[in-house]
Amino acid sequence: MFQKDLLKQKVVLVTGGGTGLGRSMAKRFAELGANLVLASRKVENLEAAAAEIRALGARALAVGCDVREPDQVDAMVAKAVAEFGRIDALVNNAAGNFLAKTEDLSPNAFNSVVRIVLHGSFHCTSAVGRHMIARGGGGNILNIVTTYAWTGSAFVVPSACAKAGVLAMTRSLAVEWARYRIRVNAIAPGPFPTEGAWQALMPDPSYEEMARLRIPAKRFGRHEELADLATYLLADGSDYMTGEVVTIDGGEWLMGGEFNGLTIFPPETIDQSFEAARKKRGK
Ligand code: HXC
Ligand code: NAP
């Protein structure tokens, strides 16, 4: 899809880069010439991902860091700059989530998700943004949200609140930091199979089937599809895009339309019921 050296010499920092979508994005960036910084709590996952990236011929630095802690984030950014001299792009991908009835949430349960997603994205954005502004070379920030950042969703209220906040931060900083040539965009994925998301959100196979049927494309996303979209948004060719959120969900979030739910039936069944309705009206 892209020329092989599209991200050559870019230094990209991916939070949560040791697992799931973060790992897939990081590997794709490395294939296209970027050097990577991977940051999250579990260093063993980061080291394994970093080894895969090095095998692709790129440089990779794994840094243990809890994004909820501003001091750890500052230290992680300093380490990355010491290693590579600069950071060109930040992908705020780290997240936490679980299904819960909102009336059952303790204050600590709400905090546990919001502190990772909203506060963590802010701490990383703030630390990397200060570095980019001081360096004067511009930069690129990409936030991984989800479509319920604007629709809301039952049973994931802390995550919905936090992702909505990250989306507001995306649009706010796109304006505030444009003068420093820092772009700020977001991607809103629908369901993409990962161990982390499936463990948190798909308690049994019936949830998975329900989730799949809700998607007009009738399939989940593929990691490479998301990684290629992220690549486009980090590449210089998308320099005029900022403050945007790009949805990649097979049409899922639009399923709220009144009769869209009928698409779960095969076309023959739909034909039969439409025909029956027509006959009833004598047409
Ligand atoms: C209710 C829960 C809970 C649950 C934890 N808590 N899990 N409450 N239901 N399932 C409560 C605990 O009782 C505790 O409150 C508080 O939350 C903190 O719990 P800890 O386990 O101490 O939290 P912590 O170790 O900080 O872990 C954070 C976490 C965890 C979010 C709970 O799951 C995590 O680290 N997740 C990271 C990976 C992840 O979740 N990936 C999925 C991303 S998927 P009390 O009051 O008892 O102290 C995603 C997809 C979005 O974002 C869109 C899909 C379409
Ligand atoms: P995942 O593998 O569970 O990724 C979450 C990552 O966040 C992990 O690598 C985790 O690493 C890191 N993390 C969690 N808490 C952290 C903390 N306090 N400090 C630093 N890192 C932390 O799940 P995923 O599905 O790939 O999700 C990646 C992103 O895509 C998330 O933003 C998620 O909301 C978004 N998304 C996913 C889907 C989907 O269907 N998969 C859909 C929409 C949006 P450690 O445990 O090592 O810290």
Side-chain angles (χ1 to χ4, degrees):
M1 193 165 187
F2 300 118
Q3 62 194 52
K4 294 225 172 307
D5 61 349
L6 189 72
L7 300 180
K8 198 165 179 215
Q9 288 169 356
K10 284 199 191 298
V11 179
V12 184
L13 162 53
V14 182
T15 66
T19 65
L21 296 176
R23 188 166 178 156
S24 296
M25 285 189 280
K27 281 166 64 180
R28 182 65 174 136
F29 302 153
E31 265 173 18
L32 294 165
N35 293 319
L36 270 299
V37 182
L38 309 177
S40 80
R41 296 165 302 178
K42 295 182 191 129
V43 180
E44 65 280 13
N45 290 340
L46 300 177
E47 288 295 358
E52 287 180 356
I53 286 169
R54 289 182 200 117
L56 294 166
R59 290 170 67 197
L61 175 70
V63 191
C65 170
D66 186 330
V67 296
R68 294 172 296 190
E69 303 299 335
D71 292 348
Q72 289 189 33
V73 171
D74 286 346
M76 178 270 289
V77 169
K79 223 170 165 179
V81 174
E83 175 80 11
F84 291 113
R86 65 177 197 284
I87 298 168
D88 297 299
L90 161 69
V91 182
N92 280 310
N93 166 82
N97 205 355
F98 50 76
L99 288 171
K101 302 214 301 294
T102 304
E103 60 272 32
D104 295 342
L105 288 173
S106 68
N108 195 33
F110 183 81
N111 282 343
S112 71
V113 171
V114 174
R115 285 190 65 219
I116 301 171
V117 176
L118 179 56
H119 295 218
S121 298
F122 174 76
H123 297 321
C124 293
T125 301
S126 161
V128 172
R130 278 185 266 119
H131 157 72
M132 287 171 172
I133 291 168
R135 192 174 153 259
N140 206 323
I141 296 170
L142 180 59
N143 298 321
I144 309 301
V145 297
T146 188
T147 52
Y148 60 59
W150 60 90
T151 63
S153 173
F155 307 120
V156 284
V157 163
S159 173
C161 294
K163 294 286 192 187
V166 173
L167 185 53
M169 184 172 76
T170 305
R171 291 175 171 145
S172 305
L173 288 180
V175 173
E176 191 174 332
W177 286 354
R179 68 175 61 199
Y180 305 116
R181 291 189 298 112
I182 298 171
R183 299 197 285 131
V184 193
N185 289 294
I187 292 179
F192 281 69
T194 67
E195 206 181 314
W198 257 230
Q199 263 174 15
L201 305 172
M202 304 284 184
D204 73 62
S206 70
Y207 275 65
E208 191 174 334
E209 187 56 4
M210 198 170 68
R212 195 182 63 78
L213 286 175
R214 268 172 45 80
I215 302 169
K218 300 288 180 262
R219 69 168 175 86
F220 296 122
R222 299 183 187 112
H223 285 214
E224 61 269 24
E225 293 171 324
L226 183 114
D228 279 344
L229 175 57
T231 299
Y232 169 76
L233 290 169
L234 294 193
D236 293 338
S238 65
D239 194 44
Y240 204 49
M241 269 185 92
T242 194
E244 188 53 90
V245 54
V246 184
T247 301
I248 177 161
D249 72 343
E252 184 200 34
W253 87 272
L254 295 167
M255 272 303 260
E258 187 70 34
F259 297 105
N260 289 350
L262 293 177
T263 58
I264 68 165
F265 300 114
E268 314 80 67
T269 313
I270 296 174
D271 277 348
Q272 282 165 13
S273 47
F274 287 0
E275 199 50 40
R278 198 170 168 176
K279 281 199 181 114
K280 232 170 153 181
R281 295 176 65 206
K283 302 267 176 184

